[in-house]
Amino acid sequence: MRSRITIAALALVSTAALAVSFAQSLPPGVQKKASVGGITEYAYPNGLRVLLFPNPASPKITINVTYLVGSRHEGYGETGMAHLLEHMNFIETTNGRQIKNEIVSRGAAWNGTTSNDRTNYFETVPATPENLKWALSLEADRMVNVKFTKQILDTEMTVVRNEFERGENSPQSILRERVEATAYLWHNYGKSTIGSKDDLEKVPVERLAAFYRKYYQPDNAVLVITGRLEEAATLTAVNEAFGRIPRPTRVLDQTYTVEPAQDGERFVELRRVGEGQSVVIAYHGPAAGHPDSAALQVLAGLMSGGGGRGPRGGGSSDGRLTKAIVDTHKADSAGMFVAQLYDPGLITLSAGLNKDQSLEEVRKLLIGTVEGVIANPPSKEEIERITMPMLRNLENSLSDPQSIATGALNTAISQGDWRLMFLQHDRLKDISATDVVRVAKAYLKASNRTVGYFIPDAAPERTVVPNTPDLSSILKDYKSTISVAQGEVFDPTPANIESRVVRSKLPNGMRVVMLPKQTDAGMVTGIIELRFGDQTTLAGKNAAAQFAGALLSRGTKSKNREQLADQMRVLNARIQVSGGGGGGFAGGRGRGPAGPTSAPNSAIASIAAPADKFVAALRLAVEMLKDPAFAQDEFDRIRLPRIKALENVQTEPTQLAAENLQRHLSPWKAGDVLYPMTREAQLAETNKVTLDDVKQFHAKYYGANYGVFAVTGPVDKAAVMAAATELLGSWNTSMAYQPMKAAFRQAAPLNTKIETPDKANAQFEAGLRFRLSDSDPDYPAMLLAGYMFGGPITSHISDRIRNREGLSYGANARVAIPAEGDAALLSGTVSLNPANGPKVEFSFTDELARTLKEGFTAKEVDAAKKAYLDARLVSRSQDAALLAMLASHEQLGRTMKWDEQLEQRIASLTPEQITAAFRKHINPASLTIVKAGDFKASGVYQ
């Protein structure tokens, strides 16, 4: 006994010594604060708060800065200023740093976002001391050294204005803004983050700079660093970058406006050009930190289906709103959403309708269904069905450094305290049916309601929303027990991946590829790709193929949709199945970063589950693929809204321009399986197809003998192989698979416009075909040429049209080169104000001509090679992208040696080789241009 006590005492002394040692290693003046769930907070003397969340299994590091300023903090004439400032923070610093250029040159995943309560910026890069130092230096400069000139503001203002105009094209989005503005009389939550167009256009640069100097200071920021990091070294690096910034002398005024209790039902009507109808109903609710917020999240899950805060659009199949409104064909979609904000937010119900459905009837059904929870409370099982995924959501997101830094953690910071995300997790565990009924009674009152249509009876009743709670006192001694197992340190190079891949075949020839490795939370990820048929045997089968794929997830012969969802929850599994979709625009079966896509000759199941439950999840996924129920009511539920949607007159410029360009440049001819059909042709096929056609298609075409099964994670290889053999090894299709290879076809150049009245945003689309496949010697050069011409935000097209000329929020171009066939494509897309159409068209064609004439410089080639290869490395560190690559390689008969050789060829390219390839394959005389917008009202192209 004495020896055990001695050992324990020594252990305590050792632990204490380590703690003292770490404390002594902190930079001067830095204090260690709260530590919850593996996340630790540090306070710096200048007011900066730093959160560290180490994950040695990740090959990346994410640096996120959250500033506690959003649209809530804007004053009169300042609407949209926080968001406009976000854009300015990507341009230039007073010491000459070109921010976007630097970020892109690092191959970083990056973005900035603005919301009601905060603005954040992040970069995710390979985890190296150099990258950490660079990112911290950049963010420190962006905090206090952003350059403000009228010229820069004038250019970026028009970019932001075009983002505003893009939003104006969506009646559904504008209806939400109108409802929010009607619900809030005084609080800034009634003003949209994008702001007023007039404020954007008129804001003086001096006022914007003053707003920046007021809020962009260390005492108003939280720096979050996640991923592979060493804490002491990271804190030192933070001190070196941010420690030089003094604590500001100004004192920030806290917002104090409180929205009074609403004193009657309010109504708003929106009339605009658009497709379909919408209804939105909003109630005032509590702040995210209030205990009632958790019960309202459960109520939203009960209404929308599944876990979480509820979707903004349609709910899932097991939600009460879906069953009451969508399944009865009263509306096409319905859902519930609870805003989680610093101050009291809105509880929102919404539904989307076709032109023949009744807004008034759906309004009554929305209200009746959500209020019905008072008379028909949820069972304990229903509540668990909702809360289980919500509880796991935080646990799962903690295994993804970028996701937690820019998602839940970023949100909780804006809500008042980063520890709130753990407190909300704990509160959810204790929610009962009594809580759900109580909050429904408290908040879902007619006097607290605002209704919007795309009008109204009010009963004089009041709802007093509780004040924002004091989170400091609530969380003073708070502890959390969340723990997530971390994966191995994995090197995502092609050589290392290939050395660990295990390949085999099932008895029927289906190929199997496994990549055993330890993953965060012990998750195993798999993908099943089925291939069948060819250009001849699939002719005229598009509709049957599409509906067969769409019905796979809507019940099997032994389980309905709800039972499938319940089984996935029990297994903690995510299973998605699809099949039969796709078109011919890409000109072949080339794979991009997005991974596999469903086509008429394929079906796909993706699976993610804990290692000990993966085989059970695999069985469920195969059951969904092999034994769908094909119920008549489910078929009608998909088909009827599809018919109504196709019957609507198309008015959206983005879709009109893209579809017209796709058809003109398609290497396929009308009648071919992959030809992009017109809406009229799609409608005819949809009207004609029957459930028997769908059943016959599945019975005749589906089978595994031409497919691929790929899996990665802590795999029990023997058990998975045995299950795959049992489930897939004798499931065959007699419809032999042959890839549909698109042969190059020269399309005559075309320049056309489409008028779309009453649309604030226009769309410019351009493209040309050229002959090339990914086996051609010029493939690496054309990949990099396409990347430099139109890929990142610093590319030729984006830099000119967006960054320098300020004509668009989004301007890009890309090169798509197929693996099968040789119909390659150069395409470009630009969103714009209709009045800027001629300028955008000139800039795009002129930049193409200039690039062909002047070529690519050695400096941009060196930067592009590094960024492009780093981006490929980061992509391979994601299991889903890696699986898609492995499955594609199996279909094409390739190993990771192909990627290794490709990257070696890219690394050895010279500017002369890239320029020569671009000039050889790109003929500007072949360019087709399609633009769609309200050009008549703008007085252009007339």
Side-chain angles (χ1 to χ4, degrees), residues 47-51 62-70 72-73 86 89 111-123 136 139-140 142-143 215-226 242 250 252 342 402-418:
L48 180 69
R49 287 178 286 162
V50 178
L51 302 179
T62 294
I63 298 89
N64 177 85
V65 181
T66 300
Y67 293 93
L68 300 179
V69 58
R72 173 167 62 91
H73 302 86
E86 174 211 321
N89 244 34
N111 206 352
T113 66
T114 308
S115 72
N116 304 85
D117 301 312
R118 55 98 190 126
T119 307
N120 79 299
Y121 307 85
F122 78 90
E123 302 85 34
L136 292 173
E139 291 302 340
R142 292 212 285 189
M143 179 177 282
Y215 289 105
Y216 278 58
Q217 295 289 345
D219 65 341
N220 196 45
V222 181
L223 172 64
V224 180
I225 306 175
T226 63
F242 287 87
R250 64 91 184 91
L252 278 176
Y342 179 88
Q402 178 175 311
S403 175
I404 195 67
T406 63
L409 196 52
N410 181 37
T411 299
I413 290 168
S414 73
Q415 292 167 346
D417 193 300
W418 63 271

Side-chain angles (χ1 to χ4, degrees), residues 18-39:
L18 285 172
V20 171
S21 174
F22 182 76
Q24 291 173 343
S25 69
L26 291 175
V30 175
Q31 295 181 338
K32 183 178 180 181
K33 297 291 187 179
S35 184
V36 182
I39 301 172

Side-chain angles (χ1 to χ4, degrees), residues 241-481:
F242 287 87
R244 60 183 174 79
I245 303 174
R247 191 182 191 104
T249 56
R250 64 91 184 91
V251 177
L252 278 176
D253 296 325
Q254 298 300 311
T255 57
Y256 51 81
T257 300
V258 175
E259 186 70 20
Q262 187 167 321
D263 54 2
E265 189 171 18
R266 300 171 188 167
F267 298 87
V268 60
E269 184 178 15
L270 177 70
R271 291 185 180 271
R272 284 194 178 195
V273 173
E275 300 177 18
Q277 307 179 87
S278 298
V279 56
V280 173
I281 302 173
Y283 302 86
H284 291 278
H290 193 275
D292 284 354
S293 176
L296 284 165
Q297 289 181 58
V298 175
L299 177 59
L302 184 67
M303 293 297 115
S304 293
R309 295 177 178 88
R312 282 191 176 271
S316 70
S317 60
D318 55 349
R320 290 193 182 185
L321 289 176
T322 300
K323 292 176 179 178
I325 300 173
V326 180
D327 288 356
T328 57
H329 307 300
K330 303 299 183 182
D332 294 341
S333 63
M336 181 174 177
F337 176 80
V338 178
Q340 300 286 292
L341 302 174
Y342 179 88
D343 281 339
L346 292 180
I347 306 159
T348 305
L349 305 170
S350 62
L353 299 76
N354 65 49
K355 59 184 177 63
D356 297 324
Q357 292 165 333
S358 168
L359 284 167
E360 184 63 13
E361 182 179 18
V362 170
R363 181 189 72 85
K364 292 178 180 178
L365 284 169
L366 284 169
I367 295 169
T369 303
V370 72
E371 290 181 353
V373 75
I374 297 171
N376 182 22
S379 65
K380 181 180 179 182
E381 291 73 20
E382 282 180 289
I383 290 179
E384 289 177 350
R385 189 182 301 140
I386 301 304
T387 56
M388 281 175 59
M390 297 168 72
L391 295 171
R392 287 170 178 160
N393 185 47
L394 174 60
E395 298 161 8
N396 292 337
S397 66
L398 284 169
S399 65
D400 184 338
Q402 178 175 311
S403 175
I404 195 67
T406 63
L409 196 52
N410 181 37
T411 299
I413 290 168
S414 73
Q415 292 167 346
D417 193 300
W418 63 271
R419 294 167 292 175
L420 186 58
M421 71 177 186
F422 294 100
L423 180 61
Q424 288 170 330
H425 173 277
D426 290 357
R427 284 172 170 172
L428 284 169
K429 293 190 294 186
D430 299 324
I431 296 300
S432 66
T434 302
D435 295 317
V436 175
V437 171
R438 177 180 55 79
V439 297
K441 289 180 178 179
Y443 298 101
L444 304 182
K445 299 175 182 177
S447 64
N448 192 37
R449 184 164 65 219
T450 300
V451 179
Y453 285 166
F454 184 168
I455 221 185
D457 292 310
E461 202 176 350
R462 306 287 188 271
T463 294
V464 179
V465 175
N467 292 330
T468 303
D470 179 4
L471 293 175
S472 298
S473 60
I474 294 173
L475 295 162
K476 181 179 179 182
D477 298 312
Y478 174 71
K479 304 292 181 183
S480 177
T481 58

Side-chain angles (χ1 to χ4, degrees), residues 153-210:
L153 175 58
D154 287 347
T155 298
E156 199 60 27
M157 180 278 293
T158 55
V159 171
V160 176
R161 185 178 62 188
N162 183 236
E163 185 177 359
F164 171 92
E165 290 155 350
R166 284 163 58 127
E168 288 288 303
N169 273 17
S170 170
Q172 291 75 24
S173 297
I174 299 304
L175 179 61
R176 290 185 180 279
E177 289 186 8
R178 298 293 182 268
V179 168
E180 289 166 1
T182 305
Y184 286 105
L185 297 180
W186 307 108
H187 197 285
N188 262 13
Y189 285 169
K191 296 183 175 67
S192 70
T193 303
I194 196 71
S196 157
K197 184 178 180 183
D198 286 338
D199 283 358
L200 292 173
E201 292 175 338
K202 297 174 183 177
V203 60
V205 67
E206 298 81 9
R207 189 167 181 180
L208 183 63

Side-chain angles (χ1 to χ4, degrees), residues 881-892:
L882 181 56
L883 273 180
M885 178 181 291
L886 291 172
S888 174
H889 282 9
E890 287 300 306
Q891 290 284 0
L892 297 169

Side-chain angles (χ1 to χ4, degrees), residues 724-900:
T725 302
E726 173 196 345
L727 298 168
L728 299 166
S730 59
W731 184 30
N732 299 329
T733 175
S734 61
M735 306 307 293
Y737 167 71
Q738 289 293 331
M740 300 183 196
K741 300 180 181 181
F744 168 73
R745 180 182 68 83
Q746 185 66 61
L750 175 72
N751 192 324
T752 187
K753 74 177 175 75
I754 303 168
E755 288 285 349
T756 59
D758 200 35
K759 292 296 182 181
N761 187 68
Q763 190 73 10
F764 171 91
E765 298 280 341
L768 61 84
R769 288 284 178 186
F770 60 97
R771 191 190 306 275
L772 197 72
S773 72
D774 71 2
S775 60
D776 191 285
D778 285 340
Y779 175 65
M782 286 302 292
L783 274 184
L784 209 58
Y787 179 80
M788 289 185 288
F789 180 66
I793 201 169
T794 53
S795 66
H796 289 208
I797 288 297
S798 188
D799 185 55
R800 175 167 178 172
I801 295 176
R802 188 193 196 279
N803 300 341
R804 289 187 280 127
E805 297 177 351
L807 296 174
S808 173
Y809 174 75
N812 302 97
R814 67 185 293 262
V815 167
I817 303 170
E820 295 165 327
D822 61 358
L825 175 72
L826 169 69
S827 62
T829 179
V830 184
S831 69
L832 60 142
N833 183 304
N836 289 330
K839 295 178 183 178
V840 166
E841 185 170 342
F842 172 79
S843 295
F844 188 93
T845 55
D846 183 66
E847 191 61 33
L848 178 59
R850 191 193 68 79
T851 302
L852 287 166
K853 179 182 178 181
E854 299 177 7
F856 302 96
T857 67
K859 181 179 179 181
E860 71 174 318
V861 167
D862 288 343
K865 286 195 287 190
K866 182 181 185 306
Y868 187 75
L869 293 174
D870 280 351
R872 287 178 62 92
L873 182 73
V874 170
S875 176
R876 289 193 297 268
S877 71
Q878 307 293 326
D879 285 347
L882 181 56
L883 273 180
M885 178 181 291
L886 291 172
S888 174
H889 282 9
E890 287 300 306
Q891 290 284 0
L892 297 169
R894 293 171 178 169
T895 67
M896 293 302 295
K897 185 71 175 176
W898 189 88
D899 297 83
E900 184 177 16

